[in-house]
Amino acid sequence: MCGIVGYVGPRDCSDVLVSALTKLEYRGYDSAGIAVFENGKIEVAKSKGRLTDLVAKMEREGKPVGHAGIGHTRWATHGEPSDINSHPHSGRRVTIVHNGIIENYKDIKKFLIENDRTEFLSDTDTEVVAQLLDFYYDGNPVRCIRKVLHEIRGSFALGIVFADRPETVYAVRCESPLIVGQGHGEAFIASDVPAIIKYTKNYFLLEYGEIAVLKNGLASFCDLHGRMVEKELKTADFDEDSAEKGGYPHFMLKEIHEQPTAVKTTITPRIEGGLPNLTECGITPEALREFNNIFIVACGTAMHAGMVGKYVIEKLARVSVTVDIASEFRYRDPLIQKNDLVIIISQSGETADSKAVLNLVKGTGAKTLAIVNVKGSSIAREADMVIYTHAGPEIAVASTKAYMVQLSVIYLLAFEMAYAKGTIDEEECQKLTLELVRVPEVIQQTIDRIENVCRYVSTKLITADSLLYIGRGLDYALSMEGSLKLKEISYIHSESYAAGELKHGTISLITEGMPVIAVATQNSLFEKTLSNIKEVKARGAMAIVICDLKSEIDLDSANYIIRIPKISEMLMPMVATVPMQLLAYYTSVNKGNDVDKPRNLAKSVTVE
Ligand code: M6R
């Protein structure tokens, strides 16, 4: 959460910082600020609200003009969103921006107060670090940062400027992600590569405890002990267009439309001779044969992809799969054994709770497999094996294409595991793989066919206070994601329910006109789900049904029917996801909400 940036170079620093922060707003957007060296002096501009509020303020009051500085977009943790709590925060000679949390900030504040440092203006943990840096500052910035690193605890990344070191930016990373961009005669820091892609594709990945110094347009590095470090320069595998809306009104809609390509790019290199081949990711059939139990651990949407994984892996490979929310799993003392496999799914690869699971598994003898979208992210680097999804940057807070590619990888893994374990034969494995290869085309047909239908049906949802998503089997797993998508961006209360469970309590919630969205794509369960649809409709619900083109259902049983192309039952989640995404998207648009930046949320949850 929170995005930090920094710049040293010939361009107008304020403009670069604002432009880079625009690309990081998905990480938090309740306030923003910058600090720039102007004529050798640090000038700060900050404001509560969106980045546009900061820009408007700088237009009114003037922007700092210079060539080196730091910037921040905030997702509040310590202290409400306000001008005072906005970053940057300053000590007497030090100004910083901060992403993450400082766990022992109260102890440090007490220590500072006991040592006559009492000038605290904000409620933030960040200001305490600024003051501590100032307290120890003896004219040697790197030594001072190293000293402070030994005293603060938590997960954080910092951008720092010292008043007596003009035109120089310092940065340090402990857990929270930070990259250092290197252009021609200019250098950057950023929480994520898309922030600087407009200026350079070349970047260094800062490791835990490393300090970067940006001076004279060049970046240099040292470790926690002050030793110089030579780092490998990486090149981003996407360009500026991927991080732009490309003519779409919102990133979310663009990302929904990118799904056919994203799935194709993810699965194609992992299929050989019509069969899945994950050896390039460190996964061999021999290893897959050995696993006794599987745990899939993740948060939010990624966890919902895991729910689909449970149904598919258990059905095909006959291995027991437990799906858990990372924030629960890490504290419930799970029974992990030597021959188990723990799969961590994460778009960002930086989610704090999911990351913590890797530490938990260490020493148990179990293996960890990460399914991750962001290259070089912490989870990807720390897991024993990694399958990268190739969705490209996902900017909208509401995840769409990342979920879709997570599903595609889970299918490949399930097919390969089932074949390795002998629960399906080569012919069956080839048949399933071939069907998966067709999926991108079917997703495209689905978008083309139903986008307008979903736009229309969404107009029926906007006045609802509450709704239910129901389904059975894979449709139930899928409805969890449909429900999350809808609630996070439309702000309509929504729950997903196993359709067969309604009669055990929840059906009492049904009142006249309450929307119930039934996902009914599993032919083997269709009749049963249809009974549940009739039951809710008979009690006044507005029944909206997502089913395939051939399903036998008419408008006596449902108020609205969204028909999608049919593929094999097992793969239907990848098609049925599309109407759920579009319903959420258009409901949010019709309500006038900020689709890409829903209230209170941030894309990357790097704090617990
Ligand atoms: O980056 P991750 O996949 O680990 O993020 C996990 C969740 O925070 C995330 O999936 C979240 O639920 C979605 N943005 C919701 O659309």
Side-chain angles (χ1 to χ4, degrees):
M1 346 266 303
C2 299
I4 67 177
V5 295
Y7 177 70
V8 172
R11 300 177 203 257
D12 179 313
C13 182
S14 295
D15 290 354
V16 174
L17 295 177
V18 168
S19 151
L21 288 174
T22 315
K23 302 289 185 306
L24 290 184
E25 261 198 307
Y26 70 87
R27 302 178 71 87
Y29 31 84
D30 55 45
S31 53
I34 60 173
V36 173
F37 282 104
E38 182 174 299
N39 299 324
K41 206 168 149 264
I42 299 171
E43 295 293 340
V44 172
K46 56 185 186 174
S47 164
K48 178 187 165 188
R50 297 284 163 98
L51 197 54
T52 47
D53 295 304
L54 173 68
V55 172
K57 185 175 181 182
M58 292 196 295
E59 271 163 16
R60 279 193 316 273
E61 299 173 8
K63 67 175 185 187
V65 179
H67 299 285
I70 51 180
H72 189 265
T73 177
R74 180 171 187 242
W75 189 88
T77 55
H78 297 69
E80 58 170 14
S82 69
D83 284 357
I84 292 284
N85 287 334
S86 307
H87 298 214
H89 289 283
S90 302
R92 293 171 198 164
R93 295 159 298 171
V94 185
T95 296
I96 70 170
V97 288
H98 164 217
N99 167 27
I101 46 170
I102 307 298
E103 286 165 3
N104 58 339
Y105 80 102
K106 281 190 182 154
D107 295 340
I108 294 170
K109 191 167 182 175
K110 189 164 163 268
F111 163 80
L112 287 166
I113 291 171
E114 282 166 4
N115 284 279
D116 299 327
R117 289 276 170 152
T118 51
E119 354 67 80
F120 295 98
L121 304 173
S122 76
D123 305 319
T124 64
D125 50 347
T126 307
E127 189 185 13
V128 174
V129 178
Q131 292 287 2
L132 189 65
L133 280 161
D134 195 74
F135 182 76
Y136 285 128
Y137 188 47
D138 60 358
N140 182 328
V142 170
R143 190 162 60 212
C144 167
I145 294 168
R146 285 172 46 220
K147 175 130 184 77
V148 166
L149 284 183
H150 284 108
E151 302 211 356
I152 56 179
R153 269 202 329 268
S155 60
F156 53 86
L158 303 171
I160 310 167
V161 285
F162 291 82
D164 63 354
R165 289 287 183 281
E167 312 309 312
T168 311
V169 167
Y170 298 83
V172 62
R173 173 196 182 179
C174 286
E175 303 282 355
S176 299
L178 198 64
I179 60 107
V180 177
Q182 184 62 71
H184 297 294
E186 56 186 352
F188 307 77
I189 60 165
S191 299
D192 203 354
V193 181
I196 57 156
I197 199 82
K198 178 173 169 187
Y199 305 104
T200 180
K201 288 178 92 171
N202 298 325
Y203 68 95
F204 301 97
L205 207 56
L206 217 56
E207 303 283 349
Y208 183 94
E210 285 180 345
I211 299 167
V213 183
L214 277 57
K215 196 176 174 184
N216 297 330
L218 281 175
S220 59
F221 305 92
C222 69
D223 66 13
L224 209 49
H225 309 287
R227 292 180 296 237
M228 295 307 285
V229 176
E230 284 297 322
K231 295 190 66 69
E232 180 199 350
L233 190 64
K234 297 180 182 296
T235 304
D237 59 3
F238 57 90
D239 55 22
E240 198 187 339
D241 289 349
S242 328
E244 298 290 343
K245 287 189 197 141
Y248 287 92
H250 299 101
F251 280 110
M252 183 177 175
L253 190 61
K254 175 184 177 234
E255 287 160 7
I256 291 171
H257 280 261
E258 282 173 345
Q259 293 181 119
T261 309
V263 172
K264 203 170 175 175
T265 316
T266 299
I267 62 171
T268 307
R270 279 82 186 250
I271 296 174
E272 253 181 54
L275 292 168
N277 185 338
L278 298 168
T279 40
E280 157 246 355
C281 314
I283 301 163
T284 59
E286 296 70 39
L288 289 175
R289 266 196 286 276
E290 297 307 315
F291 296 125
N292 291 336
N293 300 297
I294 296 178
F295 296 90
I296 303 183
V297 193
C299 302
T301 293
M303 191 274 290
H304 294 154
M307 289 303 297
V308 173
K310 174 181 170 65
Y311 281 84
V312 176
I313 297 172
E314 285 191 344
K315 191 169 177 67
L316 287 176
R318 311 309 294 157
V319 187
S320 161
V321 181
T322 306
V323 182
D324 220 327
I325 298 166
S327 55
E328 289 296 313
F329 188 80
R330 64 184 288 195
Y331 294 117
R332 78 167 166 80
D333 198 8
L335 202 61
I336 309 169
Q337 290 167 332
K338 194 165 161 262
N339 282 341
D340 293 346
L341 172 66
V342 180
I343 303 176
I344 293 135
I345 308 177
S346 175
Q347 187 284 128
S348 62
E350 298 293 347
T351 302
D353 286 315
S354 305
K355 205 157 86 176
V357 172
L358 286 164
N359 285 334
L360 192 79
V361 179
K362 273 189 195 128
T364 62
K367 286 268 180 277
T368 51
L369 162 63
I371 299 177
V372 170
N373 195 44
V374 177
K375 311 268 172 317
S377 54
S378 307
I379 292 175
R381 286 184 299 147
E382 285 170 32
D384 298 320
M385 299 166 277
V386 54
I387 308 181
Y388 279 115
T389 53
H390 299 308
E394 190 181 63
I395 311 286
V397 167
S399 182
T400 53
K401 63 175 178 173
Y403 174 73
M404 193 67 100
V405 290
Q406 285 160 0
L407 292 186
S408 71
V409 160
I410 284 167
Y411 280 108
L412 278 179
L413 185 67
F415 300 165
E416 175 144 21
M417 187 177 288
Y419 182 36
K421 285 197 174 264
T423 48
I424 60 171
D425 61 18
E426 183 171 336
E427 193 186 343
E428 177 67 3
C429 191
Q430 265 177 339
K431 200 170 132 217
L432 287 164
T433 309
L434 193 67
E435 185 85 340
L436 183 63
V437 170
R438 273 190 57 220
V439 165
E441 184 194 327
V442 182
I443 295 172
Q444 187 59 57
Q445 290 163 3
T446 309
I447 297 173
D448 296 344
R449 183 185 166 86
I450 58 147
E451 183 157 1
N452 280 335
V453 180
C454 291
R455 191 200 304 248
Y456 170 70
V457 174
S458 73
T459 63
K460 310 294 168 195
L461 300 179
I462 50 178
T463 54
D465 294 325
S466 182
L467 61 79
L468 289 179
Y469 249 104
I470 60 168
R472 285 172 181 259
L474 276 170
D475 287 333
Y476 171 49
L478 197 59
S479 71
M480 292 178 190
E481 175 56 10
S483 174
L484 174 65
K485 210 82 311 167
L486 196 101
K487 78 179 114 186
E488 70 180 318
I489 58 171
S490 76
Y491 312 148
I492 298 171
H493 171 254
S494 162
E495 293 300 329
S496 57
Y497 241 80
E501 184 69 6
L502 281 181
K503 287 201 279 291
H504 299 284
T506 308
I507 201 163
S508 70
L509 289 175
I510 304 289
T511 51
E512 195 60 36
M514 179 182 181
V516 175
I517 306 175
V519 190
T521 70
Q522 300 294 295
N523 289 346
S524 50
L525 296 166
F526 185 77
E527 289 303 325
K528 293 188 187 300
T529 308
L530 187 58
S531 302
N532 300 127
I533 296 168
K534 288 179 178 169
E535 284 160 8
V536 293
K537 184 150 187 293
R539 284 159 181 82
M542 180 209 294
I544 299 164
V545 179
I546 298 171
C547 60
D548 69 50
L549 292 168
K550 296 195 180 138
S551 297
E552 288 186 18
I553 179 170
D554 56 30
L555 290 172
D556 288 340
S557 312
N559 299 72
Y560 303 99
I561 302 173
I562 303 174
R563 291 192 183 271
I564 54 176
K566 186 171 162 54
I567 49 170
S568 76
E569 194 170 296
M570 182 167 292
L571 286 161
M572 278 308 280
M574 293 187 72
V575 184
T577 299
V578 175
M580 299 189 321
Q581 295 168 338
L582 289 168
L583 279 177
Y585 172 75
Y586 281 110
T587 306
S588 179
V589 170
N590 287 330
K591 289 188 76 172
N593 295 348
D594 190 339
V595 177
D596 287 335
K597 299 186 198 106
R599 70 183 175 212
N600 304 336
L601 289 176
K603 179 82 180 156
S604 188
V605 184
T606 54
V607 294
E608 211 179 326

